[in-house]
Amino acid sequence: MHTKFRVGDKVSWNSEAGRVSGSIIKIHTKDFDYKGYTHHATEADPQYEIKSDKTDHIAAHKGAALTKI
């Protein structure tokens, strides 16, 4: 089972630029469109919107890609 995160949690993830950290700003439990793509999410396997600490970029990831810091 994957870790469940909450809005406000600090997390990190791998990106093309290396390890990035940020704060969770939204949790999706249903499929949603983001940056031209449909991201799949369910209650059991949600996706998280995370705002980068350094660039204010918003990313969307499943919990398996995130590490709580």
Side-chain angles (χ1 to χ4, degrees):
M1 175 123 172
H2 299 298
T3 302
K4 296 286 184 181
F5 300 99
R6 296 177 181 202
V7 171
D9 282 354
K10 292 278 191 178
V11 294
S12 66
W13 67 97
N14 280 325
S15 75
E16 297 86 12
R19 201 88 184 144
V20 180
S21 62
S23 298
I24 294 176
I25 58 171
K26 191 169 186 180
I27 301 170
H28 294 275
T29 56
K30 295 181 181 176
D31 292 355
F32 64 103
D33 290 327
Y34 184 72
K35 295 187 176 181
Y37 297 97
T38 298
H39 291 259
H40 300 285
T42 63
E43 287 281 342
D45 193 16
Q47 286 222 19
Y48 302 90
E49 279 188 47
I50 310 114
K51 183 175 181 180
S52 169
D53 289 337
K54 290 185 179 180
T55 65
D56 289 338
H57 172 79
I58 306 295
H61 292 291
K62 290 198 172 201
L66 304 174
T67 303
K68 191 168 181 176
I69 53 175

